[in-house]
Amino acid sequence: KSIFATTKLEKEKWLKYIKCFVDCLSLTCCLFYNVYNYFKEEKEVEIADNYIVETKVIDDEEIITENDVQKKESIKQEINYTAVIEIPSINLKRGVVDSTGNFNSINYAISVDKNSNYPDKEGNFILYAHSGNSSISYFKNLNKVEINDVIYIYHNGVKYEYKILDKYDIEKTGKAEIYLTNTEKYITLITCSQDQKNKQIVLIGSLKNEEEY
């Protein structure tokens, strides 16, 4: 009986050690994941800011050093953004890239639909991205954007200001009805709904202002 009791105590002791180890391992993994995502997000915001800076209209008196040129070339090679989107109400600022047959951009950045017109032309600037909790869920808070919220697009030295005028859900069929026009400028944002599995969220905004930056 004494031996059995001793064995049982040792077993319980080892189980506590194992549980403690597993808890520590889980905590370490969780901490590493959060730190990784934090620095990844900081890096993406920095690259988006650099895109805005490198496409800025330069004054005649501004001096560009050789190091500045090398830094900008390095940024271009790292991520070839075509524009930057900023949504202040959800603290989002990210670069966007074109989606092509050879590059599934939605797994790396906010994607520009191939049927889009960029803001420097009349038409609809259509963007889509993942929602959810992964590191590439750039539109995870898109459901929090409300009517009359402002969206900024930075493209080729011009800042475009849009105001959200419509927000609705659609069936997740791979197709969405959008505004088509040759005389006005719109923006459309699309992502999957986190609350309804078979739905997608669509936000429509119209251009209110544009200015060089």
Side-chain angles (χ1 to χ4, degrees):
K1 183 176 181 181
S2 177
I3 295 175
F4 175 77
T6 301
T7 304
K8 184 177 180 181
L9 288 173
E10 289 179 349
K11 184 177 180 181
E12 291 177 349
K13 182 179 178 181
W14 277 107
L15 286 174
K16 287 181 181 179
Y17 286 152
I18 293 172
K19 183 178 183 301
C20 182
F21 173 77
V22 171
D23 289 342
C24 289
L25 182 62
S26 299
L27 183 61
T28 301
C29 291
C30 183
L31 180 62
F32 174 80
Y33 179 77
N34 289 333
V35 170
Y36 170 79
N37 281 340
Y38 172 80
F39 284 106
K40 181 176 182 291
E41 183 172 341
E42 290 292 307
K43 181 65 176 176
E44 290 177 347
V45 171
E46 178 185 351
I47 295 172
D49 285 335
N50 285 329
Y51 169 88
I52 295 172
V53 170
E54 75 175 22
T55 58
K56 175 180 178 291
V57 177
I58 300 172
D59 295 331
D60 292 338
E61 297 180 355
E62 186 174 354
I63 299 174
I64 301 177
T65 66
E66 184 177 349
N67 288 336
D68 291 333
V69 174
Q70 291 175 352
K71 183 177 180 181
K72 290 175 183 178
E73 289 301 320
S74 175
I75 292 167
K76 287 180 181 178
Q77 292 174 9
E78 186 174 356
I79 295 182
N80 187 24
Y81 285 151
T82 55
V84 166
I85 180 173
E86 181 180 9
I87 309 178
S89 63
I90 58 173
N91 195 30
L92 175 69
K93 194 175 191 180
R94 289 288 186 277
V96 306
V97 296
D98 288 332
S99 179
T100 68
N102 299 321
F103 179 54
N104 190 14
S105 55
I106 194 172
N107 291 326
Y108 302 93
I110 297 172
S111 296
V112 181
D113 188 81
K114 62 182 180 180
N115 297 312
S116 288
N117 284 340
Y118 274 82
D120 53 351
K121 298 179 181 178
E122 278 73 26
N124 203 328
F125 190 45
I126 307 165
L127 304 174
Y128 53 87
H130 287 300
S131 59
N133 298 314
S134 71
S135 61
I136 58 173
S137 300
Y138 300 107
F139 276 176
K140 61 184 177 182
N141 292 319
L142 198 64
N143 61 313
K144 298 178 182 178
V145 178
E146 302 293 345
I147 304 296
N148 293 323
D149 279 359
V150 174
I151 294 176
Y152 300 109
I153 296 294
Y154 302 85
H155 177 63
N156 286 346
V158 179
K159 179 180 179 180
Y160 300 87
E161 179 184 337
Y162 296 85
K163 182 174 286 188
I164 296 299
L165 55 85
D166 202 359
K167 177 181 179 181
Y168 54 89
D169 293 333
I170 60 172
E171 295 294 331
K172 190 177 179 180
T173 61
K175 297 180 180 180
E177 293 185 3
I178 58 173
Y179 294 153
L180 294 177
T181 175
N182 293 321
T183 58
E184 298 179 84
K185 295 182 180 182
Y186 290 96
I187 189 170
T188 299
L189 309 179
I190 304 172
T191 194
C192 294
S193 172
Q194 298 185 53
D195 300 324
Q196 304 178 75
K197 186 176 180 180
N198 297 319
K199 297 283 188 178
Q200 288 180 306
I201 300 170
V202 178
L203 283 87
I204 307 293
S206 61
L207 185 70
K208 297 302 179 183
N209 186 48
E210 58 183 91
E211 59 183 8
E212 293 183 346
Y213 58 84

